[in-house]
Amino acid sequence: MVFHDWADRLLASPLRNLILGGVFVLFICLLATIGYVSAGWPVGDALYMVVLTIYTVGYDEVRAIHTPFLRANTMMLIILGCTGMIFLTGALVQFITITQFQQLFGTRRMKNDIDGLTDHVIICGFGRIGIMLAQELTAGQAPFIILERSDRRFAEAREAGYLCIQADATDENTLQIAGIARARVLATVLPDDAANVFITLSARSLNASLEIIARGEVASTERKLLQAGANRVVMPTHIGAERIAQMILFRESEKFLQGTDRMRAFQRQLLEIGLNLFTHPVSPDSPCAGETVAEIEHRAAGSFFIVGVDRPHDQGINRPPPDTVINAGDGVVLVSRDGHAHVVASLLGAPLSTI
């Protein structure tokens, strides 16, 4: 950061000098051209004389400089025009040099930052979901790097202060540069299912222990992503439908879970220690329908705990007593261990997105 602040200050000065030098040279050239034209020269001859003089080429004079006015005009052009060109050339060289140094040290700094990453997250794609994911990981203070091919989105990621590589995530070399061998999680959230499948295959071959979370747009892609090596598949359209249904059916618990910034911060803290807080509906064919909270938690064997019950058209129950009976259609607020979603689904029924 210290180098970048210093470079930005230096870069601003040459750029300003470059603009001022250009304006000054143009003004002098215009003034001298008007002087030659007023002495009866054609515009073409006047411009040609001005260019020859300020660039000190040394060709013969276009026309005879035989009057005091023409000599004074030429002397003014030589002194001010040549001085302005020297100043402009110096500012241009300085501007190019500082820019190259900034790019050189910026590239080296980014490489050092990438090499220093370990147990980090690799985000493939900086679209709508990638942006939200980066914001949440930043809030959770989790290290991550973004792989983005688009010039515009790469610039947006850099402007936001994120560590980012402008490259194609489907290229294995790009994944290796991003430190996939040291990464903890790879999230491929591109809107292209074929690209997500290919990235998943490549990532799994490069790191067998890597946790891969893949985005899928079409329902039939989920099976392909799982076969390619993804640990979990996220279907944004299904999740959106599930969240809307939960807001409609279980209003009280949704207010509780999403109502305040403090609650959202608490959920992020739970995620850091491998716990999830969410509402899950009890389906009619659930083996736990009609059982008490104590009986369901005994079945779960520590996979989750029930901390609230939301009943349609009724007031929710916070901290339900162990003898509270859970009925089909209820929404139970769970604290679940990470990776135990299959236990929740087997006991309480399929989530709303797959009903």
Side-chain angles (χ1 to χ4, degrees):
M1 291 299 296
V2 174
F3 171 78
H4 273 269
D5 293 340
W6 172 78
D8 288 341
R9 288 195 296 269
L10 280 180
L11 189 60
S13 177
L15 181 60
R16 183 176 61 250
N17 292 340
L18 193 62
I19 294 173
L20 291 176
V23 171
F24 178 78
V25 170
L26 286 175
F27 175 75
I28 295 301
C29 291
L30 179 62
L31 195 64
T33 301
I34 293 174
Y36 288 126
V37 171
S38 65
W41 288 27
V43 175
D45 288 350
L47 286 173
Y48 187 65
M49 181 67 181
V50 168
V51 172
L52 288 180
T53 304
I54 64 171
Y55 279 97
T56 64
V57 175
Y59 291 154
D60 292 338
E61 295 174 353
V62 178
R63 290 173 175 266
I65 309 296
H66 59 278
T67 67
F69 174 77
L70 286 174
R71 289 172 181 170
N73 190 63
T74 304
M75 290 174 61
M76 180 272 297
L77 179 61
I78 292 172
I79 296 173
L80 298 181
C82 292
T83 302
M85 283 300 298
I86 293 172
F87 178 84
L88 181 62
T89 303
L92 179 61
V93 171
Q94 188 180 19
F95 177 80
I96 294 173
T97 303
I98 292 297
T99 302
Q100 289 178 336
F101 269 112
Q102 189 181 41
Q103 291 176 348
L104 174 64
F105 283 95
T107 302
R108 285 185 178 178
R109 190 185 70 144
M110 184 180 71
K111 186 178 184 303
N112 291 335
D113 290 342
I114 295 172
D115 291 341
L117 287 175
T118 183
D119 289 333
H120 59 288
V121 180
I122 300 175
I123 302 175
C124 301
F126 195 65
R128 177 174 52 87
I129 295 179
I131 291 172
M132 297 176 64
L133 179 56
Q135 291 172 347
E136 292 296 325
L137 291 177
T138 300
Q141 298 182 343
F144 64 91
I145 183 171
I146 298 168
L147 306 182
E148 176 54 59
R149 180 172 60 181
S150 166
D151 292 337
R152 178 178 60 83
R153 290 176 178 172
F154 172 77
E156 291 175 357
R158 296 294 293 169
E159 186 177 350
Y162 300 140
L163 187 60
C164 185
I165 299 176
Q166 186 176 15
D168 189 351
T170 60
D171 187 352
E172 288 191 1
N173 291 330
T174 300
L175 297 176
Q176 290 174 340
I177 293 173
I180 192 170
R182 306 182 306 276
R184 179 172 60 90
V185 180
L186 180 138
T188 175
V189 292
L190 296 170
D192 184 347
D193 283 0
N196 288 331
V197 171
F198 191 85
I199 292 171
T200 301
L201 280 169
S202 300
R204 181 56 68 208
S205 66
L206 293 172
N207 188 342
S209 62
L210 180 71
E211 181 179 1
I212 301 175
I213 302 173
R215 170 186 177 180
E217 293 295 321
V218 183
S220 60
T221 308
E222 182 176 6
R223 179 177 54 84
K224 298 175 183 176
L225 287 167
L226 292 173
Q227 290 176 344
N231 298 93
R232 283 181 283 178
V233 177
V234 177
M235 313 290 284
T237 54
H238 288 193
I239 291 177
E242 177 183 344
R243 294 288 297 118
I244 294 171
Q246 288 178 349
M247 291 178 185
I248 295 171
L249 296 174
F250 311 123
R251 284 186 253 181
E252 293 300 323
S253 61
E254 286 303 305
K255 288 179 183 177
F256 169 71
L257 292 176
Q258 304 295 334
T260 63
D261 292 336
R262 182 178 178 183
M263 196 63 206
R264 285 189 285 269
F266 175 63
Q267 290 189 52
R268 284 195 291 266
Q269 291 173 353
L270 287 178
L271 287 173
E272 291 178 5
I273 58 175
L275 298 176
N276 296 299
L277 180 64
F278 59 96
T279 302
H280 193 98
V282 180
S283 64
D285 58 351
S286 167
C288 292
E291 294 188 351
T292 64
V293 169
E295 291 171 337
I296 295 173
E297 290 182 345
H298 179 72
R299 278 174 172 264
S303 294
F304 63 83
F305 299 95
I306 299 175
V307 297
V309 179
D310 193 353
R311 288 179 169 151
H313 315 296
D314 197 0
Q315 188 174 2
I317 304 173
N318 293 328
R319 301 175 63 184
D323 59 353
T324 303
V325 177
I326 304 299
N327 300 315
D330 288 349
V332 290
V333 182
L334 304 175
V335 174
S336 171
R337 293 184 179 181
D338 194 18
H340 287 70
H342 63 286
V343 178
V344 177
S346 65
L347 292 179
L348 301 179
L352 292 175
S353 61
T354 57
I355 287 178

